[in-house]
Amino acid sequence: MKVELKNIHFSYGPVKALSGISLVLNEGATGLLGPNGAGKSTLLKIMLGFLTPDEGDGQVLGYDLRREQKFIRQRVGYMPEDDCYIPGMDGVSFTAYLGELSGMPRQEAMKRAHEVLFYVGLGESRYRLVETYSSGMRQRLKLAQALVHDPKLLFLDEPTANLDPAGRQDILELIGEIASSKDISVLLCSHLLDDIESICTDMVIINKGQIAASGRIEDLKMINYRLYELKIKGELPAFRLELEAAGCRLEETEDRLIKIYTPPDFDQMEIFRAAARNGVQIRQFARSQSRLEDLFARVVGVD
Amino acid sequence: MSSIREKGYHHWDGQFLDRPRAFWPITRTGIKLAFGRKHFKLGYTFSFLPAMIYAAIIYISERLEDFKFIAQGGDKLLQVNPNFFKSYLTLDLLYFAILILMSMGGAGLLADDFRHKAVQLYFARPLTKADYLLGKAGVVIFFVGTLTLVPAVLLYILKLLFAGSFAFFLEYPWLILSILAFSLFMILFFTAFILLASSLSNNRNYVISIIFGFYFFSEILRGIFSVIFRSPFSALFSMAANLKQVAAGFFLVKPPYDYPWYLSFLLISVFCFLSYLVVKHKVRGVEVIK
């Protein structure tokens, strides 16, 4: 078990940011999702040991959240979302410097910096000043500095931001490999649901300071909803009202495709019965492949 | 750019150091980065010119007979006493050299970290705010110390060596303590001043303007108030005048302005304390993730 949080509460003055967050993160890659203001950042701050929770307790890599924050940061790697660097340093000095700040002996930090820069694909550019790097190279550099001290847990905040499709694919492959075969757990915070779906096996969705859903992505898709896609002839409003009263959620796309999210135990025949009662003709009906976007929309309650 | 994963990932099997001086890598890197800046080495070397002139004066003062042809009537100027050391540590040229050097190597200490959002990289490491600030302060301490404390102590040792006796030491037994105390006071002031200026903007050019603006503006203000009010207390507005006034107190010589030296001491101490509060407020570890 890499992270275990129990009933975490945190407020910024009168504003409640987290209310009773309890979660367990295991080996592998976990995606952290949530709309803006949901509490993701606060949760990451608490897990990195920057904020002390008002209530609740927990452990990261076996270290206490309240008392052993220094040890947590020594053993956790963090790749920030921002484009951040120290001007005037070359790639290898920069990476070694941050390794040394993590507590590595100077010479070992330098040796290790060379290794991780080769690993992330910056081997040839490691003696160039970091301010001359392209945004894709800086993204790799941030990954290198997060890996230099060989963390057991990696927090990645929007790791594919500012990358072209090829660069994004490379970074995702690399993160996937780290998470699957390098004995490093990854917590991936991203707005790109495709990134999370392609790397993570588990997922945590936060909404309004609470856990809205957590678990294996495949299981969550199955448990939380079923998705049907319909094309109809007739008046939608009454049909929509009846289905929504039965606990479903309807969306209409631009090409007049109706998406119906139903509770998992909902009988699909009810859709046909509702259509018949409201004089709606169903011209196309298919159970759709559920996607992470749909799960997110369903759980968080946004389109 | 080379393709990704040219070499495999290997785990590191070393041990983390339980570092009691976590600030040291930050100081060392700051010094190295300062020396890497254009013209810094040249400026740093030239900053030792006053110290070399003072060393020459000590030498000449001990060999007055040999240098009679150039030192005619200059006996007073060549007197090595507490005032001599005070005058070295309060030289306008020395202050200017420190400000030039710090505008090159110190202006970006915090400003560059703010601008390039590097603060979060530091605080994602097992560093405290004190480690970070001490590391940055160490850079200013190093440069100001090597231009004030180190030359002043060396000049003192040089005087003892050239004199070939302990007469000077016995005449002013407290002088070495004055040199140490005032140098440390100056180091503290310049450290607070440079870090404060560096924390006030994300742009190092603005920081440089703040550094020199403060220095010159405080002098101008002193001049204006001095003309209007004809009061010695006008010197309280000037950075250099305050340092000179404090130096007089530390070296037990007559203050250049007619008011108690401890007023300047108090003013600078309050300035340093307020600077610390501002810098501490500006550097916030919890802003790691926005």
Side-chain angles (χ1 to χ4, degrees), chain B residues 100-255:
Chain B
I100 292 265
L101 281 181
M102 286 299 93
S103 68
M104 287 196 273
L109 280 174
L110 300 178
D112 283 350
D113 284 352
F114 293 158
R115 181 173 191 161
H116 300 290
K117 296 167 185 162
V119 178
Q120 55 188 323
L121 294 174
Y122 285 98
F123 288 111
R125 262 61 208 183
L127 289 177
T128 61
K129 197 188 277 194
D131 292 330
Y132 175 75
L133 288 178
L134 209 59
K136 296 292 179 180
V139 181
V140 187
I141 291 170
F142 172 80
F143 287 116
V144 180
T146 53
L147 290 178
T148 55
L149 178 69
V150 175
V153 171
L154 286 177
L155 288 174
Y156 181 81
I157 294 169
L158 218 59
K159 169 66 188 167
L160 294 182
L161 288 175
F162 285 149
S165 74
F166 281 98
F168 183 73
F169 173 76
L170 294 172
E171 194 177 352
Y172 306 107
W174 45 267
L175 183 58
I176 186 69
L177 293 177
S178 296
I179 291 171
L180 290 174
F182 183 66
S183 299
L184 291 175
F185 183 74
M186 266 179 76
I187 290 169
L188 178 74
F189 166 72
F190 278 108
T191 304
F193 174 45
I194 299 298
L195 288 187
L196 172 70
S198 188
S199 73
L200 293 179
S201 173
N202 293 353
N203 186 325
R204 66 159 49 228
N205 293 329
Y206 290 153
V207 174
I208 294 170
S209 311
I210 291 169
I211 291 173
F212 283 101
F214 181 81
Y215 179 68
F216 288 119
F217 186 70
S218 72
E219 274 301 305
I220 292 167
L221 220 56
R222 181 184 70 84
I224 291 171
F225 282 111
S226 172
V227 168
I228 295 173
F229 299 109
R230 305 224 171 264
S231 163
F233 288 97
S234 313
L236 284 169
F237 288 98
S238 159
M239 182 189 110
N242 275 304
L243 285 172
K244 284 173 187 172
Q245 190 76 349
V246 175
F250 275 73
F251 284 92
L252 307 179
V253 295
K254 188 176 179 299

Side-chain angles (χ1 to χ4, degrees), chain A residues 4-8 21 53 55-59 64-66:
Chain A
E4 186 181 18
L5 304 180
K6 287 179 198 161
N7 193 30
I8 297 287
I21 297 268
E55 276 180 56
D57 54 10
Q59 293 190 326
D64 189 273
L65 268 183
R66 291 175 181 275

Side-chain angles (χ1 to χ4, degrees), chain A residues 277-293:
Chain A
R277 278 194 291 273
N278 292 285
V280 169
Q281 211 178 83
I282 296 178
R283 297 236 167 141
Q284 184 183 317
F285 182 90
R287 180 160 177 193
S288 177
Q289 186 71 32
S290 47
R291 293 173 305 136
L292 197 54
E293 280 92 338

